[in-house]
Amino acid sequence: MKSQEFIDLRSDTVTLPTPEMLEAIRHAPLGDDVFREDPTVNRLEEMAASKMGKEAALLVPSGTQANLVSLMTNCKRGDLIFVEAEAHLYYYEVGGLSSVAGLQPWTIKSQLGAIDPADLEAAIRPKNIHFAEPSLVCIENTHNRHGGAVITPKQIESLKQVVDAHELRLYMDGARVFNAAVALGCDVKELTRHVDNLMFCLSKGLSCPVGSLIVGTMQFIEAARKNRKMVGGGMRQAGIIAAPGLIALEKMVDRLREDHENARYLAQRLAKIDAVKIDLQRIQTNMATFKIDSSKMTDTVFLERLKQKGVLALAQGKNTLRFVTHYGISRQDVENAAAAVEEILGKPA
Ligand SMILES: Cc1ncc(COP(=O)(O)O)c(C=O)c1O
């Protein structure tokens, strides 16, 4: 089976570009972006900055590079950064924050992805010759390993008070920040207002083939541009990446609501199955994370059986699995996925 023949619920990174995006790629005006002469990239960076309520933006190839370049730009080597214990940039990015950016991560556990300001306050130690210098606090919104949980503007504002009191900076890995805004029914600027800088991805729920944007002050973005070049992210006719990005920002944000409704529907169906443990409170955006009864089946066998029925999911820990909804996944697809799980684990009584 080709990948398109599966109902692929592993991640929203598997989305394919829309026909309009492919057309836009063909017709995009191009130039050399290292010389800052690609008009399509320039337009996208202006649009991204304006949507986020910040001064400037920078296109990079991936979310991982966006995080790395942002860390390098916010901090100096040897600094300490506070990160939520399951943050993507700590958990999944090959340790680049230490090996490339030279930073010491200090993890803070949370209930649902949002660092409690009191826990941050408790983690910040008084200045001491033995300690690395703290410079940055990182949040992730929505939070991947917390099942797409949303951090609210109020939570960010409270955290920022502690950040400011200690003269640190606040950075947001907003790979899916538009999912958070759509779930909360607020303008995305509400979520960016209290962070100093952030990144968001075009290549996840917004369906672009490639690309993420770093957003912040003009000065920050100029320094990030230099760091991007250092790690090999200076691209030439990058307008072919930016062209679908413009469409994503204009047309693909509001439809994320559909993905959230499909994830909730799927979660509600899963919740009725005895061998599935799922907390519906945690289903806030486009992810449905759940556990299966290990006495009944291992996650490896479950995933294999699911695949045989034409459905793909991802394991995120022992017997913890997730389905992610996205553009290209219809209500019928999630109904079929739910039916496949019911057939494997037993129909609800
Ligand atoms: C929260 C978060 N940040 C960063 C990334 C990294 O993005 P990329 O896969 O484009 O490097 C991901 C990828 O899934 C993510 O979920």
Side-chain angles (χ1 to χ4, degrees):
M1 268 198 255
K2 290 205 304 284
S3 140
Q4 286 96 319
E5 290 168 22
F6 287 102
I7 299 171
D8 193 345
L9 298 167
R10 288 172 300 169
S11 174
D12 46 13
T13 57
V14 303
T15 45
L16 297 175
T18 65
E20 192 180 355
M21 287 178 177
L22 293 172
E23 244 347 82
I25 292 169
R26 275 166 56 79
H27 299 293
L30 302 174
D32 188 329
D33 182 48
V34 174
F35 296 145
R36 306 183 62 172
E37 287 171 6
D38 190 304
T40 313
V41 173
N42 293 343
R43 234 183 101 206
L44 175 67
E45 291 179 346
E46 275 164 32
M47 188 187 283
S50 148
K51 287 230 181 274
M52 295 293 168
K54 301 285 184 202
E55 287 174 10
L58 181 73
L59 178 66
V60 293
S62 68
T64 302
Q65 191 178 97
N67 280 335
L68 181 64
V69 167
S70 297
L71 294 179
M72 290 167 77
T73 311
N74 273 307
C75 310
K76 60 181 189 325
R77 292 182 71 77
D79 280 358
L80 180 146
I81 61 169
F82 295 100
V83 299
E84 198 281 331
E86 305 227 15
H88 195 282
L89 62 82
Y90 171 70
Y91 204 100
Y92 285 125
E93 298 183 9
V94 206
L97 84 175
S98 300
S99 61
V100 184
L103 304 171
Q104 180 188 3
W106 192 277
T107 58
I108 300 177
K109 285 200 174 123
S110 75
Q111 283 300 314
L112 252 184
I115 297 174
D116 187 320
D119 291 339
L120 174 63
E121 185 70 63
I124 301 173
R125 300 172 293 178
K127 279 195 182 305
N128 184 301
I129 190 152
H130 299 90
F131 302 156
E133 206 60 44
S135 57
L136 189 71
V137 178
C138 302
I139 58 174
E140 184 175 314
N141 203 10
T142 63
H143 199 298
N144 183 332
R145 284 191 59 81
H146 280 280
V150 168
I151 305 179
T152 65
K154 188 97 209 83
Q155 287 172 308
I156 302 173
E157 187 178 4
S158 313
L159 194 69
K160 178 70 162 140
Q161 284 167 6
V162 180
V163 169
D164 283 347
H166 293 274
E167 297 178 348
L168 306 173
R169 277 189 192 180
L170 186 57
Y171 168 71
M172 177 161 71
D173 172 344
R176 297 182 181 82
V177 72
F178 282 111
N179 291 87
V182 165
L184 292 165
C186 71
D187 190 304
V188 72
K189 291 190 195 74
E190 299 292 312
L191 297 165
T192 61
R193 177 168 302 153
H194 298 288
V195 302
D196 292 288
N197 40 70
L198 70 136
M199 76 84 159
F200 72 93
C201 294
L202 297 170
S203 59
K204 302 199 164 60
L206 299 185
S207 302
C208 290
V210 190
S212 294
L213 284 129
I214 302 174
V215 196
T217 63
M218 201 77 85
Q219 200 187 10
F220 178 80
I221 293 300
E222 274 322 293
R225 191 178 293 281
K226 187 103 181 177
N227 285 325
R228 179 188 70 170
K229 191 78 183 82
M230 197 195 304
V231 297
M235 298 177 284
R236 302 299 178 173
Q237 287 71 42
I240 59 165
I241 294 174
L246 290 164
I247 292 165
L249 290 182
E250 279 171 347
K251 301 195 173 164
M252 300 299 281
V253 172
D254 292 340
R255 65 150 306 285
L256 293 172
R257 187 167 295 112
E258 200 180 306
D259 300 339
H260 298 180
E261 285 165 4
N262 281 339
R264 174 144 289 274
Y265 170 84
L266 187 49
Q268 283 164 343
R269 287 275 296 264
L270 295 178
K272 295 193 181 119
I273 303 173
D274 275 353
V276 168
K277 211 170 137 203
I278 187 164
D279 181 354
L280 290 177
Q281 298 257 58
R282 289 178 172 254
I283 313 302
Q284 299 179 3
T285 54
N286 65 333
M287 298 184 186
T289 305
F290 58 101
K291 283 184 183 295
I292 57 169
D293 183 348
S294 55
S295 67
K296 190 137 187 159
M297 199 176 289
T298 66
D299 47 33
T300 320
V301 172
F302 175 74
L303 286 176
E304 195 43 50
R305 299 271 301 272
L306 205 55
K307 190 173 177 184
Q308 283 161 10
K309 292 185 181 296
V311 180
L312 302 180
L314 209 66
Q316 266 205 320
K318 205 166 164 18
N319 277 38
T320 304
L321 299 130
R322 76 166 197 196
F323 285 131
V324 182
T325 53
H326 49 80
Y327 171 72
I329 294 295
S330 64
R331 177 54 64 102
Q332 186 63 57
D333 288 330
V334 288
E335 279 177 14
N336 293 350
V341 179
E342 286 165 0
E343 281 166 29
I344 296 166
L345 292 176
K347 283 203 177 14

